[in-house]
Amino acid sequence: DTEVTQTPKHLVMGMTNKKSLKCEQHMGHRAMYWYKQKAKKPPELMFVYSYEKLSINESVPSRFSPECPNSSLLNLHLHALQPEDSALYLCASSRGLAGDLSYNEQFFGPGTRLTVL
Amino acid sequence: LAKTTQPISMDSYEGQEVNITCSHNNIATNDYITWYQQFPSQGPRFIIQGYKTKVTNEVASLFIPADRKSSTLSLPRVSLSDTAVYYCLVGDKNTGRRALTFGSGTRLQVQP
């Protein structure tokens, strides 16, 4: 299995809602990532988990809360989002960690298209 | 922090070879270069990675001159399905962190 899966594919939420995005990989990868991508822009890194521990937080607002329950799962909890948070949220995983040459070969999921009303 | 610069867009025709150049003037000794491809509404897909000279795989070739201040992704005989955005990333093999910063990307349009 060389796939990263993400659910849901699409999500529409109000500014007072609480929702979660889910990401799963069964490749035994040790690092997992959340990216945010606005239309016609490159992906922007949000969080990195290494060995199920948060290793990078790119100064993301607290209304985004990541969670890594186990080595295969990564969640992104959303609360009190703003319309400008509407974007494609991408999850990725990699076999290697920082310092490994394989670190850069990230496998991306198809993303969750989020719309905040 | 090594920054990458790529052409915003390129046009080509089916069957032609396409070369996309990325400038990274401030590349450090430990930095290596990685390229990703992204189709609309999909996640990026790893294409190729290199540190110096030339790297080739079943999809593309990566040419890196001796000064390593630029690199060129070469796609042989493109088809319509190669229409996508191509990103060049530069990262420190020791920390890996800069490898997570995508540049602005090059939008390749292949015409029949």
Side-chain angles (χ1 to χ4, degrees):
Chain A
D1 185 356
T2 57
E3 248 191 338
V4 174
T5 58
Q6 290 187 244
T7 54
K9 283 189 168 56
H10 300 274
L11 178 63
V12 179
M13 61 186 289
M15 290 189 284
T16 58
N17 291 158
K18 283 186 183 181
K19 297 286 185 183
S20 295
L21 309 184
K22 181 178 172 182
C23 173
E24 198 163 357
Q25 58 89 11
H26 296 286
M27 295 177 277
H29 286 176
R30 300 178 290 174
M32 296 185 76
Y33 315 78
W34 281 115
Y35 287 83
K36 171 183 176 180
Q37 186 173 28
K38 303 281 274 185
K40 298 194 185 303
K41 297 290 187 183
E44 295 177 27
L45 181 69
M46 299 174 72
F47 303 103
V48 179
Y49 273 82
S50 300
Y51 282 119
E52 302 167 46
K53 289 193 184 334
L54 184 65
S55 58
I56 296 177
N57 177 342
E58 293 289 87
S59 303
V60 178
S62 59
R63 57 185 183 269
F64 295 92
S65 175
E67 179 198 19
C68 191
N70 59 55
S71 59
S72 300
L73 277 176
L74 187 66
N75 298 321
L76 186 64
H77 303 298
L78 315 172
H79 173 55
L81 295 193
Q82 304 296 312
E84 59 264 29
D85 296 321
S86 299
L88 181 68
Y89 287 85
L90 294 163
C91 173
S93 69
S94 66
R95 184 174 64 246
L97 300 173
D100 295 349
L101 202 57
S102 61
Y103 185 57
N104 267 357
E105 186 169 354
Q106 296 177 54
F107 291 76
F108 283 82
T112 293
R113 176 75 60 189
L114 174 68
T115 303
V116 181
L117 301 176
Chain B
L1 188 69
K3 182 182 173 183
T4 61
T5 303
Q6 304 173 233
I8 294 173
S9 64
M10 293 182 72
D11 292 307
S12 183
Y13 292 94
E14 281 192 292
Q16 289 189 333
E17 178 185 72
V18 170
N19 296 309
I20 306 175
T21 297
C22 178
S23 296
H24 27 80
N25 291 320
N26 295 326
I27 192 168
T29 305
N30 291 334
D31 284 350
Y32 58 106
I33 301 120
T34 310
W35 286 80
Y36 282 85
Q37 174 193 55
Q38 187 177 25
F39 298 112
S41 297
Q42 293 187 26
R45 184 176 71 105
F46 174 90
I47 301 175
I48 199 166
Q49 174 182 279
Y51 184 73
K52 61 181 179 180
T53 61
K54 177 183 174 183
V55 179
T56 297
N57 61 23
E58 65 277 6
V59 176
S61 294
L62 180 59
F63 297 92
I64 305 169
D67 66 7
R68 304 200 325 118
K69 292 185 184 300
S70 67
S71 57
T72 299
L73 173 73
S74 181
L75 305 172
R77 295 182 297 281
V78 295
S79 64
L80 295 176
S81 63
D82 292 316
T83 294
V85 179
Y86 293 82
Y87 293 101
C88 162
L89 287 74
V90 172
D92 185 329
K93 69 180 181 183
N94 290 328
T95 68
R97 188 181 182 123
R98 291 200 293 278
L100 304 174
T101 301
F102 283 76
S104 55
T106 298
R107 197 169 295 271
L108 173 66
Q109 180 70 50
V110 180
Q111 308 278 3

